[in-house]
Amino acid sequence: MPAGDRELKATKNRSIKTDGEKPLGGLRQVAAIAGVSTATVSRVVNRPETVSEALRKRVEMVVDQLGWIPNGAARALSSNRTGAIGAIFPALALGDFARAIDAMQDALAERNFLLLLARSQYDADLEFNLARKMVERGVDGLVLVGKTRTEGYEQFLSKAEIPYVNTFVYDDTAKRPCIGPDNAQAMESLVDYLVSLGHKRFGMIAQTTRNNDRAAARREGVRTALARHGLAIPPESIVEGQWSIEEGRMLFRRIVKADPLPTALICGNSLLAVGAVLEASELGIEIPKKMSIVGYDDIELMAELPVPITTVRVASDEVGRVAARTIADLVDRKPHIAGERIPSEIIIRASTGKPRED
Amino acid sequence: MPAGDRELKATKNRSIKTDGEKPLGGLRQVAAIAGVSTATVSRVVNRPETVSEALRKRVEMVVDQLGWIPNGAARALSSNRTGAIGAIFPALALGDFARAIDAMQDALAERNFLLLLARSQYDADLEFNLARKMVERGVDGLVLVGKTRTEGYEQFLSKAEIPYVNTFVYDDTAKRPCIGPDNAQAMESLVDYLVSLGHKRFGMIAQTTRNNDRAAARREGVRTALARHGLAIPPESIVEGQWSIEEGRMLFRRIVKADPLPTALICGNSLLAVGAVLEASELGIEIPKKMSIVGYDDIELMAELPVPITTVRVASDEVGRVAARTIADLVDRKPHIAGERIPSEIIIRASTGKPRED
DNA sequence: CTGAAAGCGCTTACAG
DNA sequence: CTGAAAGCGCTTACAG
């Protein structure tokens, strides 16, 4: 019956049975074999509770037997929902981010979202680009880091009407939910702690603040707290790097050129602190006897070095969990929080102590 | 003209001008404003070279002005292509994987694919699940780690007709392209090197081989090479862990209970090696004078410790780059390689030397 | 080079 | 609880 086949192909295929040579495929085949409408199959898959027990079982059997996997594109096109959340992080392997990502993926899975990750390398253009691609490809929401972006980027996000949250920053005046520590406050506490030990001469190996409002806030926090105590870091005792041990070492060699030497050195992140401590030991500068050193972000290594390093620990897994919950709520149009200040604490280890007397 | 509106809505909307209150939106609106067909707009976006200069410019202006972003779901549904490659890694922050991921994302972007990442925590069920979700959501291809999977998983992949590559393993007999180092061979070389220094008593802090055929191959490589030299590791000198400094420390304490002490200790990965070296220094065991220690996978830290650690360095960025190229070729139905053996080398540092004489 | 129109595989009001 | 059918927003033979 070639003529019949033609017609099947040309008009909408309405046959219930699939005896022809053209396999139906997909949901329609499932419906045909189960002897139900495509609507019913769809309901069984998406809202099984709305379907009678008998039909549900029949359809589920056929689905299993055929190994049918719904076509996500078709589903997304008709439901206007992809089930995916995109997240763009500056880096995936840095301590804080890695912990947040792990927690976020699990939390999103519980809400039945798939997490799609990309890394932007602290490159604003690349981030914008990735966001465009993700939106274009189809994500229901976005998890971003920081709250500072170009106007074009902001406009794009609002024009695309895509929900998003800002992470690793906290700001209760922001338009979008911010979920993160109070970066400035965390550093102020750290400075207060050092001042309470008696330190007056500070140095800093800062993390570059380019495309990084968290680092900028932390730097500002240091400045504020010192000013509150009537202190300041002399220009020659501030250097700037990114995030590697090697850099920490190199910059530490610059720091020790200052005379008088700072008694306390604040490092902008964990790797810079590790580098500084390792270089100090190589130079025979005893830590903390000659100098106290602190970092930011707690990675395992900091606790394991011969001189464990005092640092700020952010509950990054909580950042990930709350971000997941919030973006899922936004997408599901459920009530959601306006933001959350994630706690951070100072982990005191052996790299800090009273200043030397000289 | 409410009746007109009704009709616009009920029948297919064919009006060229968009004066009604219902905005057209999307590609159709672009077409209407530019005064061309939707086919032309689609061509301008996807294959601009097939469209005349004049029309192309006109359409591009409208696209820019409207800020139109194509709907990925619709595009995927009609073109049967999503433009995304999914990658599932056991972890995203481990040295080798992190480097591969970075290189892969960039290489895929050049081929106009978006990389979507997920991490499986060395959990076979979770990985299968993530693969299902990715396929269901829509990816054109998959990058996986290792070559061992359950039959169900294999069947799913072939049934879904989704191209994929295996990474961090090399096997020229495998059905799918394998792109990675020869794990066994790498370890054999490392053992040969240690033997050439004169070592005869070995210990091992192995990485668990559960859901990890790379670790299994490396362990087998150690066994093979030792056997070739008529050597073997006594059971009490083999312990097993995952990948943390803390574990490396703890397991090292088990290793040093053996009598006689091994003169050379092989660690299954970088963090275990770091832990071992740090613990040795804490126990006052001089490295390499009392014991040589080696690791696998070269992370920055290994070069920066007081005693830099000899290890195997895999060109992981090359793994990422070649994997990207291969999966893109597969998806684009271009000629592709059958696999590639990625080079690895032994990086000799201060943690290895001649065995002690006792 | 360009357009008219079918169709990709689902979901979802709507009606019963 | 279930089904018939429209429609989601693109791409792509096909025809000119």
Side-chain angles (χ1 to χ4, degrees):
Chain A
M1 27 190 275
D5 269 328
R6 277 274 163 81
E7 215 177 303
L8 271 184
K9 220 186 147 184
T11 69
K12 273 225 160 133
N13 187 333
R14 306 220 180 107
S15 68
I16 295 295
K17 283 292 170 200
T18 169
D19 303 321
E21 305 179 49
K22 298 266 164 207
L24 282 172
L27 175 148
R28 225 144 60 195
Q29 183 182 21
V30 173
I33 296 182
V36 299
S37 72
T38 56
T40 297
V41 176
S42 176
R43 288 190 193 103
V44 168
V45 173
N46 298 307
R47 279 168 300 133
E49 69 281 5
T50 67
V51 170
S52 72
E53 183 78 1
L55 279 197
R56 215 198 66 221
K57 282 198 173 157
R58 208 157 87 213
V59 170
E60 279 172 349
M61 272 197 61
V62 178
V63 168
D64 281 355
Q65 185 199 315
L66 256 46
W68 170 61
I69 298 169
N71 178 314
R75 179 182 266 183
L77 183 57
S78 50
S79 70
N80 206 22
R81 251 247 198 187
T82 68
I85 299 292
I88 306 176
F89 280 74
L92 307 178
L94 297 185
D96 266 336
F97 296 147
R99 284 201 300 276
I101 287 167
D102 276 3
M104 192 161 58
Q105 178 173 315
D106 295 338
L108 282 173
E110 275 177 30
R111 293 285 293 262
N112 241 305
F113 282 101
L114 179 62
L115 174 63
L116 304 178
L117 285 166
R119 70 86 250 252
S120 63
Q121 297 180 117
Y122 291 98
D123 177 332
D125 291 338
L126 179 55
E127 183 187 334
F128 188 5
N129 234 310
L130 288 168
R132 292 185 74 93
K133 283 208 163 196
M134 281 194 161
V135 168
E136 192 170 326
R137 261 225 79 241
V139 290
D140 296 332
L142 237 26
V143 174
L144 303 174
V145 172
K147 60 173 184 172
T148 314
R149 38 195 74 93
T150 62
E151 209 182 317
Y153 190 2
E154 288 278 9
Q155 273 172 12
F156 163 78
L157 290 169
S158 63
K159 165 137 197 159
E161 291 179 349
I162 183 124
Y164 65 94
V165 298
N166 301 322
T167 59
F168 288 98
V169 283
Y170 182 66
D171 176 356
D172 51 13
T173 70
K175 286 162 302 181
R176 310 285 175 159
C178 290
I179 296 143
D182 183 332
N183 287 280
Q185 176 57 52
M187 285 316 246
E188 289 194 43
S189 306
L190 194 55
V191 168
D192 288 344
Y193 158 69
L194 289 167
V195 169
S196 79
L197 288 175
H199 291 277
K200 292 198 170 58
R201 282 207 303 280
F202 285 79
M204 185 162 189
I205 300 183
Q207 183 170 352
T208 173
T209 56
R210 187 176 145 69
N211 292 327
N212 188 337
D213 52 13
R214 289 83 61 209
R218 294 197 290 267
R219 207 148 150 180
E220 188 54 24
V222 169
R223 208 197 53 73
T224 310
L226 285 175
R228 193 162 18 82
H229 294 105
L231 300 170
I233 305 180
E236 70 271 21
S237 289
I238 296 196
V239 293
E240 185 173 298
Q242 314 223 51
W243 59 93
S244 76
I245 298 175
E246 164 61 24
E247 268 181 309
R249 279 183 182 270
M250 187 197 79
L251 294 170
F252 186 79
R253 287 194 292 270
R254 298 243 301 271
I255 287 289
V256 295
K257 281 185 189 150
D259 180 23
L261 212 60
T263 64
L265 177 65
I266 298 168
C267 298
N269 60 47
S270 53
L271 293 182
L272 291 174
V274 167
V277 167
L278 288 174
E279 189 68 15
S281 105
E282 201 156 314
L283 295 176
I285 297 174
E286 275 181 273
I287 308 295
K289 211 167 140 192
K290 286 275 183 200
M291 192 189 289
S292 287
I293 297 183
V294 299
Y296 183 92
D297 183 15
D298 189 26
I299 60 175
E300 190 199 12
L301 176 58
M302 296 176 100
E304 299 289 350
L305 284 180
V307 180
I309 305 174
T310 296
T311 192
V312 174
R313 181 177 182 86
V314 174
S316 303
D317 45 352
E318 188 65 9
V319 173
R321 241 174 271 123
V322 176
R325 190 173 4 105
T326 308
I327 192 67
D329 286 344
L330 278 162
V331 170
D332 291 341
R333 294 170 186 286
K334 290 187 184 172
H336 61 89
I337 59 171
E340 187 163 323
R341 191 176 175 288
I342 302 295
S344 65
E345 56 177 329
I346 301 175
I347 309 288
I348 297 178
R349 302 205 178 95
S351 71
T352 47
K354 296 205 167 139
R356 67 181 182 278
E357 319 199 356
D358 49 11
Chain B
M1 28 190 275
D5 269 330
R6 277 275 164 80
E7 217 176 301
L8 271 185
K9 219 183 146 185
T11 69
K12 270 224 160 131
N13 187 334
R14 306 222 180 107
S15 66
I16 295 295
K17 284 292 168 199
T18 169
D19 303 321
E21 306 179 49
K22 297 268 164 204
L24 281 173
L27 174 149
R28 225 142 60 195
Q29 184 182 21
V30 173
I33 296 183
V36 299
S37 72
T38 56
T40 297
V41 176
S42 175
R43 289 192 192 101
V44 167
V45 173
N46 298 308
R47 279 167 301 134
E49 69 282 4
T50 66
V51 171
S52 73
E53 183 79 2
L55 279 197
R56 215 199 65 221
K57 282 198 173 156
R58 208 156 88 214
V59 170
E60 277 171 352
M61 273 197 60
V62 178
V63 168
D64 280 356
Q65 184 199 315
L66 256 46
W68 171 61
I69 297 168
N71 179 313
R75 178 181 267 185
L77 182 57
S78 49
S79 70
N80 206 21
R81 250 248 199 188
T82 68
I85 299 292
I88 306 176
F89 279 74
L92 307 178
L94 298 185
D96 268 335
F97 296 147
R99 284 202 299 275
I101 288 167
D102 276 2
M104 192 161 58
Q105 179 173 314
D106 295 339
L108 282 173
E110 276 177 30
R111 292 285 293 263
N112 242 306
F113 282 101
L114 179 62
L115 174 64
L116 304 178
L117 284 165
R119 69 86 250 246
S120 63
Q121 297 180 118
Y122 290 97
D123 177 332
D125 291 338
L126 179 55
E127 183 186 335
F128 188 5
N129 234 311
L130 287 168
R132 292 186 74 94
K133 283 209 164 195
M134 281 194 162
V135 168
E136 190 169 329
R137 261 224 79 241
V139 290
D140 296 331
L142 237 26
V143 174
L144 303 175
V145 172
K147 60 173 185 174
T148 314
R149 37 195 74 94
T150 62
E151 210 182 318
Y153 190 2
E154 290 278 9
Q155 274 172 10
F156 163 78
L157 290 170
S158 62
K159 166 137 197 158
E161 290 179 351
I162 184 124
Y164 66 94
V165 297
N166 301 323
T167 60
F168 288 97
V169 282
Y170 182 67
D171 176 357
D172 51 13
T173 69
K175 285 162 300 179
R176 310 285 174 158
C178 290
I179 295 143
D182 182 331
N183 287 282
Q185 176 56 51
M187 285 316 247
E188 288 193 44
S189 306
L190 195 55
V191 168
D192 288 344
Y193 158 70
L194 290 167
V195 169
S196 78
L197 288 175
H199 291 278
K200 292 198 169 62
R201 282 207 303 280
F202 285 78
M204 185 162 190
I205 301 184
Q207 183 170 350
T208 173
T209 55
R210 190 176 141 69
N211 292 326
N212 188 337
D213 52 14
R214 289 82 63 207
R218 293 198 291 268
R219 209 148 148 180
E220 188 54 23
V222 169
R223 208 197 52 73
T224 310
L226 285 175
R228 195 165 11 85
H229 294 105
L231 300 170
I233 305 181
E236 70 272 22
S237 290
I238 296 197
V239 293
E240 184 174 299
Q242 315 224 47
W243 58 94
S244 77
I245 298 175
E246 164 62 24
E247 269 180 310
R249 279 185 182 269
M250 188 197 78
L251 294 170
F252 185 79
R253 285 195 292 271
R254 298 243 300 272
I255 287 289
V256 296
K257 281 184 189 151
D259 181 22
L261 211 58
T263 65
L265 177 64
I266 298 167
C267 299
N269 60 47
S270 52
L271 292 182
L272 291 174
V274 167
V277 167
L278 289 173
E279 188 68 16
S281 103
E282 201 156 314
L283 295 176
I285 297 174
E286 275 181 90
I287 308 294
K289 210 168 142 193
K290 287 276 182 202
M291 192 189 288
S292 287
I293 297 184
V294 298
Y296 182 91
D297 184 14
D298 189 27
I299 60 175
E300 190 199 11
L301 176 59
M302 296 176 100
E304 300 289 349
L305 285 180
V307 180
I309 305 173
T310 297
T311 192
V312 173
R313 181 176 183 85
V314 174
S316 304
D317 44 354
E318 189 66 9
V319 173
R321 241 174 272 123
V322 176
R325 189 174 3 107
T326 307
I327 192 67
D329 286 344
L330 278 162
V331 170
D332 290 340
R333 293 169 187 286
K334 290 187 185 172
H336 61 88
I337 59 171
E340 187 165 322
R341 190 177 175 287
I342 302 296
S344 65
E345 57 179 329
I346 301 175
I347 308 287
I348 297 178
R349 302 205 178 95
S351 71
T352 46
K354 296 205 165 138
R356 67 182 182 278
E357 320 200 356
D358 51 9

